Structure formats: C-alpha cells, structure tokens
Amino acid sequence: MTAKRTDDTVEVPEKILDVDVSSEMQDSFLEYAYSVIYSRALPDARDGLKPVQRRILYQMSEMGLRPDRGHVKSARVVGEVMGKLHPHGDTAIYDAMVRMAQSWTLRVPLIDGHGNFGSPDDGPAAPRYTEARLAASALAMTDGLDEDVVDFVPNYDNQLTQPEVLPAAFPHLLVNGAAGIAVGMATNMAPHNLIEVVAGARHLIEHPDATLEDLMSFIPGPDLPGGGTIVGLAGIRDAYATGRGSFKTRAKVSVETLTARKVGLVVTELPYLIGTEKVIAKIKDGVTSKKLAGISDVTDLTDRTHGLRLVIGIKTGFSPEAVLEQLFRFTPLEDSFNINNVALVNGGPQTLGLKELLQVYVGHRLQVITRRTAYRLARRTERLHLVEGLLIAILDIDEVIQVIRASDDTEAARSRLIEVFELSVLQADYILELRLRRLTKFSRIELETERDALLAEIKELTRLLGSPALLRQRVSRELEDVAEKFGTPRRTILTEARQQDAVPARRASQPVLEMADSACVVLLGTTGRCIRIDYPDGIDGAQGLASATRRGKHDAVRSIVETTSRTEIGAVTNLGRLIRMSVLDLPVVPANSVQLAAGVRVSDYLGLDAKRERVVGLVSLTSDAPIALGTVNGVVKRLTAGDFATKPDFEIIALKDKDEVVGAVQPGETDELVFVATDAQLLHFAAGTVRPQGRTAGGMAGISLGSDATVVFFGSVPANEGTAVVATIAGSASVLPDTDPGTGKISDFAEFPAKGRATGGVRAQRFLKGEDLILAAWAGIGPVLAVGSDGSARALPESGAKRDASGAPLHAIVGSLGASLATVLSREAEQE
C-alpha cells in the first residue's frame, strides 16, 4: 500500500490486522478476570486486605495521619491514594475507606472517621464533607514497614513503591471478615472476636497439629459487630472445615411492659448489616399482606445516646413470644449469612477452612518477625562497628588529630586513619565527621554504655534468629499483647438450632396462641457456660437424660435451677447484682448429648463486662427458699426472692469496699452453709441460723478470717447427706499463676465438725513446705469434677483423705471445681 500525496497533506498508509474474534475475546476476558481477581476483589490471606484497602492504610500512614494527630478531609486522602497508588477512580477508594471506618461493618475498625460515614440504612456523605485519620488498630497493621519486614513492589507507573502485603499484627481476615465479587468467584467471610481468634492462633503456634475441634474450643463461631444471636452451629462447623457454610442470625429482642396495659417487643440488636428502616418496611408489608398478626405499631427510638431501640407494640390478647416467631419468619429480624472463605494464597485464589486461614497467617507473622529480627541485628551490628571506631579515636585522640592535620586532603586522611589505627572505611569516614563536642570524658562513658547495650541486643537477636521455637514464642507473645490492647468481649450469642419453631405458621385471621410453658432445668458451669434441658415426654424422661450424659468439656456444674421455659430466673453476680434472666433463648441441648460445652457463655448472654463482672450463681425467683450469699470478706446474707421488685436488675447486698460475692445458693433451713478460706479453714453451719434481711442490708459475719485470708468458696450441702465431699487445692502465692498445679485432696464432708456462725472453723488441708494458700475449693454431693481453664476434665486424687491431711501432687492446672454433670442429672431424675 502506498501513500497518496495531495497539495497540503500526506495520507498515512492504513495498517489492518486480521484477528480471530473468539481468540481476542478470550484473551481480553482472561486479562480482565485476572485483574479483578488479583488486583481488586479478593483479599490476601496474609493481611486480610484487598489492594485498595492496603493502599489506603499505607498512604495514610505515609501522610502521618496517626491517631494522635488531627483529622484531614477524606477527599485529600482519596486524591493521594488515587494519584499515587490506586488509579481506579475515587468512588471505589472512598467506598473502601468508609467501610473500614464503620463500627457496624468491621469488628475492629481501622479508620477513625469524623462526620457522616453512613448507617446500615443510608450511605455516607460526600468525601468533601467527612474527615478521617488512622485508628490505633491500623498502626498494628502497618507497624514495622520501615524495618524491611515485607517486600515492596512498584506502583502503577513505576515511579513509587508500595508494600506487597502489610505486616498485620493481628489476623485481620478472620477478625473483620471480607466481601467481594470477582469474575467466576466471590468471597464472603464473617467477622470474629479478636480475643478468640488470637487464642486460636496462639494454640496453633504451640500445637501445630491441633485439630479443628481444638481450634473451635477457642473460636466457637463468628462475632458480629452488631451483636445478635447465631442460631445453629452446624453450618459454622462446615465452614470451618471446608471453607463453605451458612448460619442464621437473629435480633436480640426482649418483652417489656410499655404501659400499664400494653406489652411490646424491644429490639436492641439486629443481624449483621441490617438496619431498622429495612425491618420497619418489612413489618409494614407483612401487616398489609396479612402475614403478620398482633402488631399495633412500630416506633424507632434509636439515638446516639441509647443506641439501637426498635419498639414493636403488641395488640391485647396476642402472645409476644408467638408474634416474635412470626417476625423471625417474615422479616429481617432473622437473616442468613453464607460463608465462602475465598482468599489469595501464594498468588492464587483458594477456599480455606479455619485451620488453613490461621496457618497462612501464622506463617506470615513468622516471616515478618524473622525479617524484622534480621534487620534489627544488621542495624545493631553496623552501629556497634561505628561505636567501636569512635572509642578507638577517643582513646588516641591526639594522634588522630595529628594524622588528620598532617594529611593533604580528606582521601589522604582516610587512608592514614585506616593504616595507623586499623579501621574500616566506614569507621574512618565516621571519625572524620566527628564533632569536637564528642571529645569529652562523658562521651566516652556514653559510648561504652552504648557498646555494652548493643552487644547484649546483638546476642539476644542472634539467639532469637537462630531458634524457631523462640520465634514462635515471640509471635505468640505479640499476638497476646495485641489482643489485650484491642480485644473486646464477645457481642454475638451462639446457640444450637432448635428442632422446630416454637410456634408454627398460622393464618393471619386466627389469633396467635400462647407458647407452651414446659418444665426445664437450667445449668451453669464453673467455666461460665449455660444450657437449658427440656424434660422429654414420658415417665423415664429425666432418667434418660442422666443416662445419656457422658463426661465432656466444661461439665463441672456451679448452679442448677428447676424452672419452666417462660419463667425468668435470677443471675447473681460478684458485684452483688441480681439480673432477671429469660431462659427462653438459652441453648437447648438434645436429650442424647447433654454437655455444657454446647452452652452459651452467660456473661455474653447477659451482656456483662467479663473483665469486671461475672455470674457466681443462678437462683429461682419463684421458690420460697431464701437466697444465701457469701462474700470474699466472709460476710453471709439471706434474703427472700419473693421480695424482689420487677426491675430487670438490682442490688441484693450492700458490699463494702474491696468486697465481692463469691457464691450464691438457695438452701433449705436445715441445709449447711459452707465457707472455705485461703488459709485452709472450713466453717459450716445451718442456714436457718442466718436471719433473712432486706435487699439493701449488708449481711452479717459468716466466718472469722485470719490475717490476709479471704474466702475462696461459698456454697451449701444438704442436711444429713452422706455422699457429700470437700475438695481443696493448695499452692503457693509466690508462684506465677498457671505454672504449678499444686496439691489436691478430697475428704468426706462428715469429717468436718459444725461450728457456730462467725467462728474460724477447722483446718481443711495441711500445707506442705512452700504452700501457703488454698487456690480452689468445693463442697457438695460427690463425686467432684475438676476442669482446666479450657474446660477439659482434670484428674484428682482418690476421695477419703483425712480432714487435715496434706494433698497429693496434681499433674495439670485446675481452673475450677464443681459438681459432676452426670451426678446432678441423676439426682434430678431421682427427684422427678
């Protein structure tokens, strides 16, 4: 083809290439799919971040937007990220930035937003109206980038560099989850509790061959930012095993009296990413279409002061519980979450289970700590080299000065210093740049001190770098520090799915009937787990429960209460509060597998701050038997449950400073109240000798304590019970906790003579050399069950030891003592 010339222009020859359309479409589609999968939609399994999230955090770190500095306009951050690292449009960057700042989206937000960052129902304001800076947790994600802990890669135009992955001091992918749609694949991962995930990761570091069941004892299920209740754990187990599964979440709803003649449902927590407006719209649609009956009105009282509060009015004559079941069926008060754990591993997408996710993260942190240690070792070694050169120069400073003055130029001075003092080039250059003010006696002392410190650091870093075991311990310890700094109590309650809905679907024209109020038993374990057992039909139902029970985790029982499914019971805390507690939503264990391990943590169920307040016992609010309380300082009190007000919680004892309740029971008049103190003194006396008092009373003297002694156990033993035993575990106050199992002893309760109230009691165990206190104790109907902090059963010595005998050495740390679950259910069956 030739070019044609005209008067003023020259026509450029055309160049046409014949391309197969199908091949071109295939190549273009694969290139597009690759870009979406690897560069946009899927997170990296190591730091749990998508590229846009990683670039936002890195760029904000480079801009110095730390938590201790002021906020800047979000538009400025978006512009910096888009111009330097992520040229895919400002909308994608701002959307990712907003998501990292939303407390209802991420369990541990990474960005501290100022302004309107949206809500579950509405989007955020424009970036020119909002401001942002890094949250403290984001510093843990970027910490160490200046110490060569990760590789850096070029940005989109090869002018700058960016980290390929962030150091990530905590498992972000599990803690905050992820959601993304790529080409031909998608990811949807649920958030988890930081403390639980770190505990699982640390267990895997210590036990690389840990099974999925072992890890699930630390990470029982997701922990959603908005709380709620997860109903059914089978799908979670599937997801943890295969990377795919599903579970249902329910809102947290309570039945409250709105007015003197009106009852309503009050919603205080909603399923993940569900807003109140969506729930109200669905309720209105259900009422209009006659799917929902018994609802009079819906009012949204949510505000920033009191949090989420959605009030649903119930018409007179309708059961609130039955209406709630309809709402779970037809509205987003119950929602499903499908887990699909797809993430990038070694540059490729993989579907990962719980153990694989933790393994990838632990491997990443080991590499980060190894590279950081090597970097610090190199820097310390370089500095030591310079310090040693300075010390040589200071010792012979006059000769050094003479050598430099006699030299014609810098190069000659450098060569003479190297020759005369046997210095390296670096040392010689450093001496030539030395300032005269360093030539003092104090400078020499400082340099010698610095040299000694550097030698110690180099020795420690070398030892750490040469020991894989020490590296794993360092990773574990740093994870523990992060969990302590950023961890919060669990918000989402985990419950097993019920066999069937409590109330079947009904036609809207029919009135909603009341739910059945069936007999049940509520059990509280010594590790804080709580379950409900419904009596099966038939005469031998309760006996069937006992015979089906096998010894499992967390099966040491602290309290048992007989009640009905629609009756409230009381939970007594160590702060002297009694909290009304509905048993309707407690996990119901099947009759063929009664285990406390299937229960919910009662502190999570009641929304308590587990670090400050814990439940010490459950009591019946309908029983005529008074409640007996014992405190750490030896105070005893009895009060009648029938005198309680209708408030949801209230104080039942006036505690003095530094005192707290150690136990709560409901004995009969002739039953024995038992105190065990840390100085090994045991006192028991009849409950009837303690006069019942009012709620505001402070109690009376129970046991006379010795110097520095406190009460370690308070409980009761039925009168004339021949099978009752006393178990004690002794140790030393000077030994670090959880390092020495100590010694244990089990004696018959009949060996201990009764003494009067306010006396010192009798000795329960003779201390061996090095022992000075009782670590744990229990008195009740045997056999006694000991469990560790993880709920696993621990071996105890044989019973029948003398009252004041010494204990036998234990082989494992005992966290708590309690009644055996099988024994408790057997007694219930006999009474039934």
Side-chain angles (χ1 to χ4, degrees), residues 344-488:
L344 297 177
V345 180
N346 296 325
Q350 293 185 19
T351 303
L352 305 172
L354 176 63
K355 184 175 181 178
E356 290 77 17
L357 285 168
L358 290 174
Q359 285 174 331
V360 172
Y361 173 76
V362 169
H364 172 58
R365 283 303 295 177
L366 284 171
Q367 185 178 17
V368 166
I369 300 302
T370 301
R371 292 182 58 163
R372 186 186 69 187
T373 305
Y375 176 88
R376 292 178 176 177
L377 179 60
R379 299 291 82 77
R380 286 357 177 235
T381 304
E382 293 174 1
R383 178 60 185 169
L384 177 63
H385 185 63
L386 297 177
V387 169
E388 289 175 340
L390 282 177
L391 285 172
I392 293 174
I394 290 178
L395 289 175
D396 299 313
I397 189 61
D398 294 334
E399 189 175 354
V400 168
I401 294 175
Q402 183 178 357
V403 167
I404 295 174
R405 292 185 63 184
S407 301
D408 296 331
D409 52 25
T410 303
E411 184 63 33
R414 180 187 301 111
S415 300
R416 289 285 297 157
L417 287 173
I418 294 173
E419 179 182 353
V420 174
F421 298 101
E422 298 182 355
L423 301 174
S424 67
V425 176
L426 288 175
Q427 288 174 326
D429 288 338
Y430 197 67
I431 291 173
L432 289 173
E433 296 174 359
L434 184 68
R435 295 184 178 184
L436 292 177
R437 67 181 182 184
R438 298 294 303 272
L439 307 179
T440 65
K441 179 176 65 175
F442 295 105
S443 294
R444 177 182 173 183
I445 296 175
E446 292 173 359
L447 287 172
E448 290 176 344
T449 303
E450 183 180 0
R451 179 195 60 190
D452 295 340
L454 287 171
L455 287 172
E457 289 185 37
I458 290 172
K459 181 180 179 181
E460 179 63 25
L461 291 171
T462 303
R463 189 171 72 95
L464 178 61
L465 200 58
S467 173
L470 289 177
L471 285 171
R472 299 179 76 87
Q473 290 178 10
R474 178 63 61 87
V475 172
S476 179
R477 187 163 61 250
E478 292 187 3
L479 280 172
E480 182 182 17
D481 294 340
V482 170
E484 183 176 351
K485 185 175 182 180
F486 302 112
T488 55

Side-chain angles (χ1 to χ4, degrees), residues 413-627:
R414 180 187 301 111
S415 300
R416 289 285 297 157
L417 287 173
I418 294 173
E419 179 182 353
V420 174
F421 298 101
E422 298 182 355
L423 301 174
S424 67
V425 176
L426 288 175
Q427 288 174 326
D429 288 338
Y430 197 67
I431 291 173
L432 289 173
E433 296 174 359
L434 184 68
R435 295 184 178 184
L436 292 177
R437 67 181 182 184
R438 298 294 303 272
L439 307 179
T440 65
K441 179 176 65 175
F442 295 105
S443 294
R444 177 182 173 183
I445 296 175
E446 292 173 359
L447 287 172
E448 290 176 344
T449 303
E450 183 180 0
R451 179 195 60 190
D452 295 340
L454 287 171
L455 287 172
E457 289 185 37
I458 290 172
K459 181 180 179 181
E460 179 63 25
L461 291 171
T462 303
R463 189 171 72 95
L464 178 61
L465 200 58
S467 173
L470 289 177
L471 285 171
R472 299 179 76 87
Q473 290 178 10
R474 178 63 61 87
V475 172
S476 179
R477 187 163 61 250
E478 292 187 3
L479 280 172
E480 182 182 17
D481 294 340
V482 170
E484 183 176 351
K485 185 175 182 180
F486 302 112
T488 55
R490 166 171 280 276
R491 299 173 186 172
T492 302
I493 296 173
L494 304 175
T495 63
E496 290 285 359
R498 299 179 184 177
Q499 299 297 322
Q500 60 184 6
D501 289 334
V503 179
R506 294 176 172 84
R507 292 181 298 172
S509 58
Q510 295 179 341
V512 183
L513 302 178
E514 290 189 353
M515 297 174 60
D517 192 16
S518 58
C520 65
V521 168
V522 178
L523 295 173
L524 173 65
T526 59
T527 56
R529 294 179 180 264
C530 195
I531 62 172
R532 190 180 100 213
I533 305 174
D534 290 341
Y535 284 126
D537 295 334
I539 298 176
D540 299 327
Q543 184 63 46
L545 284 173
S547 61
T549 303
R550 53 190 175 86
R551 189 165 168 177
K553 278 192 172 186
H554 306 279
D555 281 352
V557 178
R558 180 188 297 273
S559 292
I560 178 170
V561 176
E562 296 183 15
T563 182
T564 61
S565 57
R566 293 189 59 202
T567 301
E568 290 183 324
I569 63 174
V572 180
T573 74
N574 62 311
L575 300 185
R577 283 203 308 159
L578 186 144
I579 304 173
R580 287 182 173 274
M581 174 178 164
S582 172
V583 304
L584 191 63
D585 293 325
L586 281 175
V588 182
V589 296
N592 59 356
S593 180
V594 179
Q595 284 193 356
L596 278 166
V600 64
R601 290 185 176 88
V602 70
S603 59
D604 296 338
Y605 187 79
L606 297 176
L608 303 180
D609 182 356
K611 294 182 179 180
R612 177 175 175 268
E613 189 173 15
R614 64 186 185 278
V615 175
V616 298
L618 302 180
V619 295
S620 171
L621 299 181
T622 58
S623 173
D624 294 332
I627 299 172

Side-chain angles (χ1 to χ4, degrees), residues 7-54:
D7 294 340
D8 300 320
T9 61
V10 176
E11 294 184 2
V12 179
E14 296 180 357
K15 186 177 181 180
I16 301 176
L17 298 178
D18 292 331
V19 178
D20 182 66
V21 176
S22 61
S23 299
E24 177 66 22
M25 290 292 292
Q26 183 177 0
D27 294 343
S28 298
F29 180 79
L30 289 177
E31 185 176 345
Y32 163 73
Y34 180 88
S35 174
V36 172
I37 292 172
Y38 293 91
S39 302
R40 302 185 74 171
L42 297 184
D44 192 299
R46 293 171 293 179
D47 63 2
L49 297 171
K50 300 178 186 179
V52 63
Q53 296 172 322
R54 186 179 304 115

Side-chain angles (χ1 to χ4, degrees), residues 132-453:
R133 64 183 177 188
L134 291 176
S137 56
L139 299 183
M141 294 292 294
T142 59
D143 182 46
L145 284 175
D146 57 345
E147 294 184 294
D148 191 35
V149 294
V150 296
D151 293 331
F152 277 69
V153 297
N155 70 333
Y156 65 92
D157 59 2
N158 293 320
Q159 294 187 13
L160 302 171
T161 58
Q162 59 185 337
E164 181 185 35
V165 64
L166 293 186
F170 64 89
H172 176 270
L173 190 58
L174 275 168
V175 172
N176 281 331
I181 301 175
V183 178
M185 62 186 67
T187 184
N188 197 36
M189 305 180 66
H192 290 75
N193 184 273
L194 175 61
I195 297 175
E196 296 175 352
V197 172
V198 166
R202 295 184 65 203
H203 182 77
L204 186 63
I205 291 173
E206 186 177 352
H207 304 90
D209 298 328
T211 64
L212 179 61
E213 288 71 22
D214 295 334
L215 296 177
M216 286 189 66
S217 66
F218 297 95
I219 312 174
D223 185 21
L224 307 177
T229 302
I230 292 179
V231 182
L233 305 182
I236 295 175
R237 295 188 185 98
D238 293 340
Y240 286 169
T242 66
R244 297 178 183 271
S246 64
F247 60 86
K248 289 185 177 181
T249 59
R250 282 186 170 185
K252 183 177 180 180
V253 187
S254 61
V255 180
E256 295 186 11
T257 302
L258 304 181
T259 64
R261 303 181 62 181
K262 187 175 183 181
V263 175
L265 301 172
V266 178
V267 182
T268 54
E269 295 176 3
L270 286 172
Y272 187 44
L273 299 181
I274 297 296
T276 56
E277 292 184 8
K278 185 183 297 184
V279 174
I280 293 173
K282 285 293 184 180
I283 291 176
K284 289 181 178 179
D285 293 342
V287 172
T288 302
S289 62
K290 306 300 183 181
K291 290 182 179 180
L292 298 176
I295 298 176
S296 61
D297 57 84
V298 181
T299 307
D300 187 2
L301 301 179
T302 303
D303 57 32
R304 294 185 178 182
T305 303
H306 302 93
L308 176 65
R309 186 174 176 83
L310 184 65
V311 180
I312 303 172
I314 305 299
K315 294 180 179 179
T316 303
F318 287 81
S319 165
E321 291 81 5
V323 173
L324 179 58
E325 288 295 335
Q326 286 189 330
L327 290 170
F328 284 147
R329 185 185 298 274
F330 297 114
T331 71
L333 290 182
E334 179 176 286
D335 194 34
S336 296
F337 188 99
N338 296 316
I339 300 177
N340 189 22
N341 295 336
V342 178
L344 297 177
V345 180
N346 296 325
Q350 293 185 19
T351 303
L352 305 172
L354 176 63
K355 184 175 181 178
E356 290 77 17
L357 285 168
L358 290 174
Q359 285 174 331
V360 172
Y361 173 76
V362 169
H364 172 58
R365 283 303 295 177
L366 284 171
Q367 185 178 17
V368 166
I369 300 302
T370 301
R371 292 182 58 163
R372 186 186 69 187
T373 305
Y375 176 88
R376 292 178 176 177
L377 179 60
R379 299 291 82 77
R380 286 357 177 235
T381 304
E382 293 174 1
R383 178 60 185 169
L384 177 63
H385 185 63
L386 297 177
V387 169
E388 289 175 340
L390 282 177
L391 285 172
I392 293 174
I394 290 178
L395 289 175
D396 299 313
I397 189 61
D398 294 334
E399 189 175 354
V400 168
I401 294 175
Q402 183 178 357
V403 167
I404 295 174
R405 292 185 63 184
S407 301
D408 296 331
D409 52 25
T410 303
E411 184 63 33
R414 180 187 301 111
S415 300
R416 289 285 297 157
L417 287 173
I418 294 173
E419 179 182 353
V420 174
F421 298 101
E422 298 182 355
L423 301 174
S424 67
V425 176
L426 288 175
Q427 288 174 326
D429 288 338
Y430 197 67
I431 291 173
L432 289 173
E433 296 174 359
L434 184 68
R435 295 184 178 184
L436 292 177
R437 67 181 182 184
R438 298 294 303 272
L439 307 179
T440 65
K441 179 176 65 175
F442 295 105
S443 294
R444 177 182 173 183
I445 296 175
E446 292 173 359
L447 287 172
E448 290 176 344
T449 303
E450 183 180 0
R451 179 195 60 190
D452 295 340

